[in-house]
């Protein structure tokens, strides 16, 4: 039985409709795909992003902020979205498993991720959260939220950015290992985990959002996963993405892909963190990582789709 960590983007959960009902429907469709890993005999560990959800929650908090009912800070909003998305996934996965004749427990774990207080990311916000804005909306948004920093996000519009420190450790990883060993499907490190700084015996929440791909890589390393799979709407990894000479990678060694990382050839707000996180997992463990599309799960399991990053210095590409 292979232990597989699957990382899902927050945009895979949120459709254009931000209502709870619409997101639960999206999670249910995602669960239908994820159950295929369990049908294949794998031990599944699910982690997910929360960028759109935490951004929307912050907007709601800001709109209702009063002295009597103050807005919650970013770390607490991260915990709140971990709970809500974990709740949706827990129920959706359990229902799909039972429909498939599989009686297996599913458990969401509120997860804290330890970061360094002096991480340079705190001086250079880069993690997009919340909804996309058009260029014509920027002046109004800046007038309402002058403290926000906004950047263009991979050609999809403008988004708010917040600090994104690197994960040093997953605080609950020992408990997660026990859950996995018990055969339970855990939903962990939602949104990359709640970013906390360790001071003595205290864990102190901080205003940041951890990239879920780096967090997924870290938890996969800590629980001795056999494979890390990062599912994305963009599918596999391409050289020269979006250009006439684009080439999709099918299998690539870490030394080969590292050259392209060093040359900044991948989009910073989308594919770059996925490739970096996958490469770090492969380099640390020697086990493979896959980047592919959610709708291709069955073919990814069969080894027919997605980009597989391996420790050997090989590169097989298909146009």
């Amino acid at each position: 039985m292979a232990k597989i960590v699957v990382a899902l983007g927050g945009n895979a959960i949120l459709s254009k409709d931000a209502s709870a009902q619409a997101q639960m429907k999206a999670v249910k469709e995602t669960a239908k795909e994820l159950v295929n890993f369990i049908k294949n005999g794998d031990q599944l560990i699910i982690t997910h992003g929360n960028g759109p959800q935490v951004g929307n929650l912050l907007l709601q908090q800001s709109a209702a902020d009063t002295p009597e009912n103050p807005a919650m800070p970013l770390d607490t909003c991260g915990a709140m979205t971990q709970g809500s998305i974990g709740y949706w996934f827990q129920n959706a996965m359990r229902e799909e498993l039972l429909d498939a004749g599989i009686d297996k427990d599913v458990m969401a774990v509120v997860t804290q991720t330890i970061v360094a207080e002096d991480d340079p990311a705190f001086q250079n916000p880069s993690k997009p959260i919340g909804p996309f804005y058009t260029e014509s909306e920027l002046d109004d948004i800046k007038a309402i939220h002058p403290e926000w920093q906004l950047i263009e996000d991979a050609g999809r519009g403008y988004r708010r950015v917040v600090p994104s420190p690197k994960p040093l450790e997953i605080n609950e990883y020992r408990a997660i290992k026990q859950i996995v060993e018990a055969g339970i499907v855990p939903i962990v490190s939602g949104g990359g985990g709640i970013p906390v700084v360790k001071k003595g015996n205290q864990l102190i929440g901080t205003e940041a959002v951890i990239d879920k791909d780096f967090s997924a890589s870290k938890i996969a390393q800590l629980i001795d996963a056999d494979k890390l799979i990062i599912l994305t709407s963009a599918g596999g990894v391409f050289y020269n993405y979006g250009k006439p000479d684009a080439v999709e990678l099918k299998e690539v060694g870490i030394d080969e892909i590292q050259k392209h990382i060093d040359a900044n050839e991948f989009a910073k707000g989308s594919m770059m963190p996925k490739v970096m996180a996958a490469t770090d997992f492969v380099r640390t463990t020697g086990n493979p990582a896959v980047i592919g599309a959610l709708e291709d799960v069955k073919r990814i399991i069969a080894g027919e789709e997605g980009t597989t990053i391996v420790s050997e210095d090989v590169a097989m590409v298909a146009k």
Side-chain angles (χ1 to χ4, degrees), residues 62-266:
S62 177
D65 187 22
T66 65
E68 298 79 21
N69 186 31
M72 294 294 105
L74 180 53
D75 60 308
T76 299
C77 287
M80 292 163 74
T81 56
Q82 264 200 50
S84 59
I85 297 170
Y87 156 62
W88 297 334
F89 261 115
Q90 192 168 268
N91 284 347
M93 284 296 298
R94 177 68 175 159
E95 182 180 338
E96 290 302 320
L97 285 166
L98 290 173
D99 286 348
I102 301 169
D103 187 4
K104 183 179 280 286
D105 289 324
V106 184
M107 180 179 182
V109 181
V110 174
T111 313
Q112 300 174 94
T113 302
I114 298 169
V115 301
E117 188 174 16
D118 60 353
D119 191 302
F122 287 110
Q123 308 305 318
N124 183 32
S126 62
K127 178 64 178 173
I129 63 170
F132 290 90
Y133 302 104
T134 63
E135 190 167 2
S136 63
E137 293 176 304
L138 287 184
D139 288 342
D140 288 341
I141 295 299
K142 289 177 181 177
I144 298 169
H145 300 285
E147 76 282 9
W148 284 11
Q149 292 191 44
L150 294 109
I151 64 165
E152 197 277 326
D153 183 7
R156 296 175 292 180
Y158 291 82
R159 295 175 81 187
R160 180 188 176 188
V161 288
V162 297
S164 184
K166 290 291 193 301
L168 299 180
E169 186 179 340
I170 307 297
N171 189 63
E172 290 76 20
Y173 85 90
R174 289 183 295 271
I176 294 167
K177 279 187 89 168
Q178 292 181 52
I179 292 167
V180 170
E181 287 165 4
I184 298 167
V185 178
I187 301 149
V188 303
S189 293
I194 304 158
V196 294
V197 172
K198 196 168 187 177
K199 292 188 176 181
N201 290 330
Q202 276 191 305
L203 294 177
I204 301 170
T206 185
E207 291 274 308
V209 171
I210 298 167
D211 188 282
K212 71 99 179 45
D213 298 311
F214 288 116
S215 182
S217 178
K218 179 64 70 173
I219 192 67
Q221 294 169 39
L222 289 169
I223 67 169
D224 304 315
D226 298 297
K227 186 179 288 186
L228 169 65
I229 298 179
I230 298 174
L231 297 177
T232 169
S233 58
V237 181
F238 287 78
Y239 292 156
N240 304 316
Y241 182 73
K243 298 178 181 178
D245 59 345
V247 175
E248 182 180 7
L249 300 172
K250 301 309 291 182
E251 186 174 50
V252 60
I254 53 173
D255 291 340
E256 159 70 17
I257 203 162
Q258 187 65 49
K259 296 173 188 175
H260 297 267
I261 294 172
D262 294 341
N264 288 315
E265 292 181 18
F266 304 111

